[in-house]
Amino acid sequence: MRGCRPSRLPGDGPAALPLQPETATPAVHPCMGQPLITLHDKAFRPYLSASEIAQAIDQVAARLNADYAGRRPLFVVVLTGGFMFATDLLKRFTGDCEIVFIRVASYEGTGSTGKVQEIMGLREDISGRDIILVEDIVDTGTTLHHLLPTLEANNPASIEIAAMFYKPASLRYPLTLNYMALEIPNDFVVGYGLDYDGLGRNLPDVYVAA
Ligand code: 5GP
Ligand code: MG
């Protein structure tokens, strides 16, 4: 079972914040005093509070503000899951910036290329731009592994990835992940933009399968 809060809080350092295992199985979350929730057929227990999430975003936003001062980045938000993180992150970005939203469709190619990603909604010319790709979660990294070359083919000046959650134990590709807000274990989480079969995206806290 997993802890109810990160073992390191944002003030502890600049890296993404790992969560550590916990031994007990609380029927009621000890940190927030909230009961289990049910989405479709599954029970979930509270895992991270909205205030813990907000603190982690403060840290990422502070680093982006420093690193992108005077650069006018283009935030490219990957829908659907990235919408809530993008909203909170962008409110904290103090410099000039632009925002676009994309969707990614994946399908198996018929040839030797394997999995192909199609980007929908990117009408802007990104050549010469500083791109910050905004994702809900980096899990295996498969999505980004296929998406990044497609973006790079359009000759941006730079591409960085900002994600609310990152599961280091799941990562299968060598990605440069400089702006991860929170590291989490390899568990299925819902809330804060993330869904279980369509439900749960609206929850301000994050829950894990009970
Ligand atoms: P990838 O494995 O390509 O890094 O992640 C692909 C997508 O899987 C993520 O963008 C997210 O939509 C979904 N995903 C990965 N882990 C989780 C999780 O713990 N919960 C939910 N709801 N979706 C996840
Ligand atoms: Mg995603």
Side-chain angles (χ1 to χ4, degrees), residues 94-141:
T94 52
D96 283 352
C97 66
E98 293 170 69
I99 306 160
V100 295
F101 295 87
I102 62 168
R103 276 180 177 275
V104 178
S106 53
Y107 53 94
E108 297 300 322
T110 52
S112 60
T113 51
K115 207 171 193 182
V116 178
Q117 293 284 340
E118 184 191 359
I119 301 174
M120 293 172 290
L122 189 63
R123 295 184 195 90
E124 283 69 16
D125 178 9
I126 65 168
S127 64
R129 300 297 306 269
D130 289 313
I131 304 297
I132 302 171
L133 206 51
V134 182
E135 269 275 25
D136 49 2
I137 188 165
V138 179
D139 182 17
T140 63

